[in-house]
Short mmCIF file of all heavy atoms in Angstrom, two decimals:
data_model
loop_
_atom_site.label_atom_id
_atom_site.label_comp_id
_atom_site.label_asym_id
_atom_site.label_seq_id
_atom_site.Cartn_x
_atom_site.Cartn_y
_atom_site.Cartn_z
N GLU A 214 44.80 74.63 -19.57
CA GLU A 214 44.93 74.13 -20.98
C GLU A 214 45.27 72.66 -20.99
O GLU A 214 45.94 72.19 -20.15
CB GLU A 214 46.12 74.91 -21.68
CG GLU A 214 45.71 76.19 -22.17
CD GLU A 214 46.86 76.95 -22.86
OE1 GLU A 214 47.84 76.38 -23.07
OE2 GLU A 214 46.75 78.16 -22.96
N ALA A 215 44.78 71.93 -22.03
CA ALA A 215 45.02 70.58 -22.11
C ALA A 215 46.47 70.35 -22.61
O ALA A 215 47.14 69.36 -22.24
CB ALA A 215 44.08 69.97 -23.15
N THR A 216 46.94 71.20 -23.43
CA THR A 216 48.31 71.07 -23.94
C THR A 216 49.32 71.68 -23.01
O THR A 216 49.29 72.95 -22.73
CB THR A 216 48.47 71.84 -25.34
OG1 THR A 216 47.39 71.36 -26.13
CG2 THR A 216 49.79 71.43 -26.00
N PRO A 217 50.25 70.88 -22.54
CA PRO A 217 51.21 71.52 -21.56
C PRO A 217 52.13 72.45 -22.26
O PRO A 217 52.61 72.17 -23.38
CB PRO A 217 51.98 70.30 -21.02
CG PRO A 217 51.74 69.18 -21.99
CD PRO A 217 50.56 69.60 -22.78
N ALA A 218 52.51 73.47 -21.77
CA ALA A 218 53.44 74.54 -22.22
C ALA A 218 54.80 74.26 -21.80
O ALA A 218 55.02 73.57 -20.77
CB ALA A 218 52.95 75.93 -21.86
N ASP A 219 55.79 74.67 -22.56
CA ASP A 219 57.15 74.63 -22.12
C ASP A 219 57.45 75.48 -20.94
O ASP A 219 57.00 76.59 -20.87
CB ASP A 219 58.05 75.15 -23.29
CG ASP A 219 58.41 74.06 -24.26
OD1 ASP A 219 58.07 72.86 -23.93
OD2 ASP A 219 59.05 74.30 -25.21
N VAL A 220 58.13 74.95 -19.91
CA VAL A 220 58.44 75.75 -18.77
C VAL A 220 60.02 75.66 -18.60
O VAL A 220 60.56 74.46 -18.81
CB VAL A 220 57.79 75.12 -17.47
CG1 VAL A 220 58.15 75.98 -16.24
CG2 VAL A 220 56.26 75.06 -17.64
N GLN A 221 60.56 76.83 -18.31
CA GLN A 221 62.04 76.88 -18.13
C GLN A 221 62.41 76.84 -16.63
O GLN A 221 61.75 77.45 -15.83
CB GLN A 221 62.64 78.12 -18.68
CG GLN A 221 62.23 78.34 -20.14
CD GLN A 221 62.98 77.41 -21.08
OE1 GLN A 221 64.12 77.05 -20.85
NE2 GLN A 221 62.32 77.00 -22.18
N GLY A 222 63.45 76.11 -16.30
CA GLY A 222 63.94 76.13 -14.86
C GLY A 222 65.37 76.05 -14.87
O GLY A 222 66.03 75.77 -15.81
N VAL A 223 65.96 76.42 -13.57
CA VAL A 223 67.40 76.24 -13.37
C VAL A 223 67.48 75.48 -12.08
O VAL A 223 66.81 75.69 -11.08
CB VAL A 223 68.03 77.71 -13.22
CG1 VAL A 223 69.46 77.56 -12.88
CG2 VAL A 223 67.81 78.56 -14.53
N GLY A 224 68.45 74.61 -12.07
CA GLY A 224 68.66 73.79 -10.87
C GLY A 224 69.91 73.01 -10.85
O GLY A 224 70.65 73.04 -11.84
N VAL A 225 70.03 72.20 -9.80
CA VAL A 225 71.33 71.38 -9.59
C VAL A 225 70.79 69.98 -9.69
O VAL A 225 69.90 69.53 -8.97
CB VAL A 225 72.04 71.81 -8.32
CG1 VAL A 225 73.21 70.83 -8.01
CG2 VAL A 225 72.47 73.19 -8.32
N VAL A 226 71.60 69.19 -10.41
CA VAL A 226 71.31 67.71 -10.56
C VAL A 226 71.66 66.99 -9.16
O VAL A 226 72.74 67.08 -8.69
CB VAL A 226 72.02 67.11 -11.69
CG1 VAL A 226 71.81 65.56 -11.79
CG2 VAL A 226 71.68 67.82 -13.05
N LYS A 227 70.59 66.42 -8.59
CA LYS A 227 70.83 65.58 -7.36
C LYS A 227 70.95 64.08 -7.51
O LYS A 227 71.56 63.45 -6.71
CB LYS A 227 69.65 65.94 -6.40
CG LYS A 227 69.74 67.35 -5.87
CD LYS A 227 70.88 67.52 -4.85
CE LYS A 227 71.24 69.00 -4.54
NZ LYS A 227 72.50 69.03 -3.78
N ALA A 228 70.24 63.64 -8.54
CA ALA A 228 70.35 62.18 -8.86
C ALA A 228 69.97 61.93 -10.30
O ALA A 228 69.15 62.68 -10.86
CB ALA A 228 69.37 61.43 -7.84
N VAL A 229 70.63 60.88 -10.83
CA VAL A 229 70.34 60.51 -12.23
C VAL A 229 69.94 59.00 -12.20
O VAL A 229 70.81 58.24 -11.65
CB VAL A 229 71.51 60.83 -13.16
CG1 VAL A 229 71.27 60.30 -14.60
CG2 VAL A 229 71.78 62.22 -13.14
N ASP A 230 68.80 58.61 -12.71
CA ASP A 230 68.49 57.26 -12.75
C ASP A 230 68.24 56.82 -14.19
O ASP A 230 67.25 57.07 -14.76
CB ASP A 230 67.30 56.91 -11.86
CG ASP A 230 67.05 55.51 -11.69
OD1 ASP A 230 67.40 54.69 -12.58
OD2 ASP A 230 66.58 55.02 -10.52
N THR A 231 69.29 56.19 -14.79
CA THR A 231 69.20 55.82 -16.19
C THR A 231 68.28 54.63 -16.41
O THR A 231 67.65 54.48 -17.43
CB THR A 231 70.55 55.60 -16.86
OG1 THR A 231 71.24 54.61 -15.94
CG2 THR A 231 71.40 56.91 -16.91
N THR A 232 68.09 53.83 -15.40
CA THR A 232 67.23 52.69 -15.48
C THR A 232 65.81 53.08 -15.56
O THR A 232 65.03 52.69 -16.38
CB THR A 232 67.43 51.75 -14.25
OG1 THR A 232 68.78 51.49 -14.06
CG2 THR A 232 66.75 50.42 -14.42
N LYS A 233 65.32 54.01 -14.63
CA LYS A 233 63.98 54.46 -14.60
C LYS A 233 63.71 55.64 -15.56
O LYS A 233 62.61 56.04 -15.86
CB LYS A 233 63.63 54.99 -13.23
CG LYS A 233 63.28 53.90 -12.25
CD LYS A 233 62.89 54.38 -10.90
CE LYS A 233 63.10 53.52 -9.68
NZ LYS A 233 63.00 54.31 -8.46
N GLY A 234 64.86 56.21 -16.06
CA GLY A 234 64.73 57.44 -16.91
C GLY A 234 64.23 58.64 -16.05
O GLY A 234 63.29 59.38 -16.55
N THR A 235 64.74 58.80 -14.98
CA THR A 235 64.42 59.95 -14.19
C THR A 235 65.59 60.77 -13.70
O THR A 235 66.73 60.31 -13.69
CB THR A 235 63.55 59.53 -12.88
OG1 THR A 235 64.44 58.77 -12.08
CG2 THR A 235 62.34 58.86 -13.13
N LEU A 236 65.29 61.97 -13.27
CA LEU A 236 66.34 62.94 -12.98
C LEU A 236 65.75 63.70 -11.70
O LEU A 236 64.64 64.14 -11.71
CB LEU A 236 66.46 63.89 -14.08
CG LEU A 236 67.44 65.03 -14.06
CD1 LEU A 236 68.85 64.49 -14.14
CD2 LEU A 236 67.22 65.84 -15.38
N THR A 237 66.58 63.73 -10.68
CA THR A 237 66.12 64.60 -9.53
C THR A 237 66.91 65.86 -9.56
O THR A 237 68.08 65.97 -9.55
CB THR A 237 66.41 63.83 -8.22
OG1 THR A 237 65.80 62.53 -8.25
CG2 THR A 237 65.83 64.67 -6.98
N LEU A 238 66.11 66.94 -9.54
CA LEU A 238 66.69 68.36 -9.62
C LEU A 238 66.35 69.17 -8.39
O LEU A 238 65.17 69.18 -7.95
CB LEU A 238 66.15 69.00 -10.85
CG LEU A 238 66.61 68.42 -12.15
CD1 LEU A 238 65.75 69.06 -13.30
CD2 LEU A 238 68.08 68.75 -12.40
N GLN A 239 67.23 69.81 -7.82
CA GLN A 239 67.01 70.83 -6.89
C GLN A 239 66.88 72.14 -7.61
O GLN A 239 67.92 72.80 -7.95
CB GLN A 239 68.21 70.95 -5.88
CG GLN A 239 67.94 71.89 -4.76
CD GLN A 239 69.19 71.89 -3.79
OE1 GLN A 239 70.27 71.38 -4.06
NE2 GLN A 239 69.09 72.71 -2.69
N HIS A 240 65.65 72.49 -7.91
CA HIS A 240 65.44 73.59 -8.83
C HIS A 240 65.08 74.86 -8.03
O HIS A 240 64.57 74.89 -6.90
CB HIS A 240 64.27 73.34 -9.86
CG HIS A 240 62.92 73.17 -9.34
ND1 HIS A 240 62.18 74.14 -8.94
CD2 HIS A 240 62.22 72.09 -9.14
CE1 HIS A 240 61.00 73.76 -8.56
NE2 HIS A 240 60.98 72.41 -8.62
N GLU A 241 65.42 75.99 -8.67
CA GLU A 241 65.03 77.33 -8.08
C GLU A 241 63.60 77.54 -8.31
O GLU A 241 62.95 76.81 -9.04
CB GLU A 241 65.93 78.44 -8.80
CG GLU A 241 67.48 78.18 -8.52
CD GLU A 241 68.25 79.23 -9.31
OE1 GLU A 241 67.71 80.04 -10.08
OE2 GLU A 241 69.48 79.10 -9.28
N ALA A 242 63.11 78.58 -7.72
CA ALA A 242 61.70 78.96 -7.74
C ALA A 242 61.35 79.15 -9.25
O ALA A 242 62.15 79.76 -10.05
CB ALA A 242 61.29 80.18 -6.97
N ILE A 243 60.15 78.70 -9.74
CA ILE A 243 59.73 78.88 -11.18
C ILE A 243 58.49 79.67 -11.06
O ILE A 243 57.46 79.18 -10.86
CB ILE A 243 59.62 77.50 -11.90
CG1 ILE A 243 60.94 76.74 -11.73
CG2 ILE A 243 59.17 77.74 -13.34
CD1 ILE A 243 60.86 75.26 -12.16
N ALA A 244 58.68 81.07 -11.21
CA ALA A 244 57.47 81.95 -11.11
C ALA A 244 56.40 81.71 -12.14
O ALA A 244 55.28 81.86 -11.90
CB ALA A 244 58.03 83.40 -11.16
N ALA A 245 56.75 81.24 -13.35
CA ALA A 245 55.85 81.04 -14.43
C ALA A 245 54.70 80.16 -14.00
O ALA A 245 53.58 80.27 -14.55
CB ALA A 245 56.58 80.54 -15.62
N ILE A 246 55.03 79.11 -13.15
CA ILE A 246 54.00 78.22 -12.78
C ILE A 246 53.80 78.14 -11.22
O ILE A 246 53.14 77.32 -10.77
CB ILE A 246 54.33 76.77 -13.24
CG1 ILE A 246 55.81 76.37 -12.88
CG2 ILE A 246 54.17 76.67 -14.77
CD1 ILE A 246 56.13 74.90 -13.13
N GLY A 247 54.29 79.25 -10.60
CA GLY A 247 54.05 79.39 -9.17
C GLY A 247 54.77 78.37 -8.34
O GLY A 247 54.28 78.11 -7.18
N TRP A 248 55.85 77.76 -8.79
CA TRP A 248 56.56 76.79 -7.97
C TRP A 248 57.62 77.47 -7.02
O TRP A 248 58.34 78.27 -7.53
CB TRP A 248 57.28 75.80 -8.84
CG TRP A 248 56.41 74.73 -9.35
CD1 TRP A 248 55.06 74.60 -9.32
CD2 TRP A 248 56.91 73.57 -10.01
NE1 TRP A 248 54.62 73.41 -9.94
CE2 TRP A 248 55.73 72.77 -10.43
CE3 TRP A 248 58.17 73.05 -10.48
CZ2 TRP A 248 55.77 71.57 -11.15
CZ3 TRP A 248 58.20 71.95 -11.22
CH2 TRP A 248 57.07 71.19 -11.49
N PRO A 249 57.70 77.03 -5.80
CA PRO A 249 58.72 77.49 -4.93
C PRO A 249 60.00 76.65 -5.28
O PRO A 249 59.84 75.60 -5.99
CB PRO A 249 58.23 77.22 -3.53
CG PRO A 249 57.31 76.05 -3.75
CD PRO A 249 56.72 76.26 -5.08
N ALA A 250 61.11 77.06 -4.71
CA ALA A 250 62.32 76.19 -4.99
C ALA A 250 62.02 74.90 -4.23
O ALA A 250 61.54 74.90 -3.11
CB ALA A 250 63.56 76.95 -4.40
N MET A 251 62.61 73.78 -4.88
CA MET A 251 62.30 72.46 -4.18
C MET A 251 63.25 71.44 -4.90
O MET A 251 63.79 71.68 -5.96
CB MET A 251 60.90 72.01 -4.25
CG MET A 251 60.40 71.75 -5.70
SD MET A 251 58.76 71.17 -5.82
CE MET A 251 57.92 72.77 -6.36
N THR A 252 63.30 70.24 -4.27
CA THR A 252 64.09 69.21 -4.91
C THR A 252 62.99 68.14 -5.22
O THR A 252 62.14 67.77 -4.45
CB THR A 252 64.98 68.52 -3.88
OG1 THR A 252 65.91 69.61 -3.50
CG2 THR A 252 65.79 67.32 -4.55
N MET A 253 62.99 67.72 -6.56
CA MET A 253 61.90 66.80 -6.99
C MET A 253 62.32 65.95 -8.15
O MET A 253 63.29 66.28 -8.88
CB MET A 253 60.64 67.67 -7.38
CG MET A 253 60.90 68.58 -8.47
SD MET A 253 59.49 69.61 -9.02
CE MET A 253 58.58 68.44 -9.93
N PRO A 254 61.72 64.84 -8.43
CA PRO A 254 62.02 64.03 -9.52
C PRO A 254 61.36 64.51 -10.80
O PRO A 254 60.30 64.97 -10.77
CB PRO A 254 61.66 62.60 -9.16
CG PRO A 254 60.49 62.92 -8.21
CD PRO A 254 60.71 64.21 -7.55
N PHE A 255 62.06 64.33 -11.99
CA PHE A 255 61.41 64.57 -13.25
C PHE A 255 61.67 63.32 -14.11
O PHE A 255 62.65 62.58 -13.95
CB PHE A 255 62.14 65.83 -13.98
CG PHE A 255 61.92 67.13 -13.33
CD1 PHE A 255 62.59 67.58 -12.28
CD2 PHE A 255 60.91 67.95 -13.86
CE1 PHE A 255 62.44 68.81 -11.75
CE2 PHE A 255 60.62 69.18 -13.28
CZ PHE A 255 61.42 69.60 -12.25
N LYS A 256 60.75 63.11 -14.94
CA LYS A 256 60.98 62.13 -16.05
C LYS A 256 61.70 62.75 -17.12
O LYS A 256 61.65 64.07 -17.19
CB LYS A 256 59.54 61.61 -16.53
CG LYS A 256 58.88 60.72 -15.53
CD LYS A 256 57.50 60.27 -16.15
CE LYS A 256 56.48 60.30 -15.15
NZ LYS A 256 55.13 60.23 -15.77
N VAL A 257 62.32 62.01 -17.92
CA VAL A 257 62.97 62.65 -19.12
C VAL A 257 62.29 62.17 -20.38
O VAL A 257 61.85 60.99 -20.53
CB VAL A 257 64.48 62.35 -19.23
CG1 VAL A 257 65.25 63.16 -18.13
CG2 VAL A 257 64.77 60.90 -19.13
N ALA A 258 62.18 63.00 -21.35
CA ALA A 258 61.47 62.67 -22.63
C ALA A 258 62.27 61.67 -23.43
O ALA A 258 61.74 60.76 -24.04
CB ALA A 258 61.30 63.98 -23.42
N SER A 259 63.59 61.62 -23.26
CA SER A 259 64.46 60.70 -23.92
C SER A 259 65.57 60.31 -23.04
O SER A 259 66.17 61.15 -22.38
CB SER A 259 64.94 61.31 -25.23
OG SER A 259 66.21 60.73 -25.59
#
Side-chain angles (χ1 to χ4, degrees):
E214 278 176 17
T216 313
D219 275 350
V220 183
Q221 305 287 330
V223 177
V225 175
V226 177
K227 287 290 165 188
V229 177
D230 190 327
T231 51
T232 310
K233 286 189 204 158
T235 61
L236 181 67
T237 304
L238 291 169
Q239 183 182 6
H240 67 74
E241 295 175 4
I243 303 169
I246 50 171
W248 279 9
M251 68 180 102
T252 301
M253 61 183 281
F255 288 86
K256 289 180 221 164
V257 287
S259 153

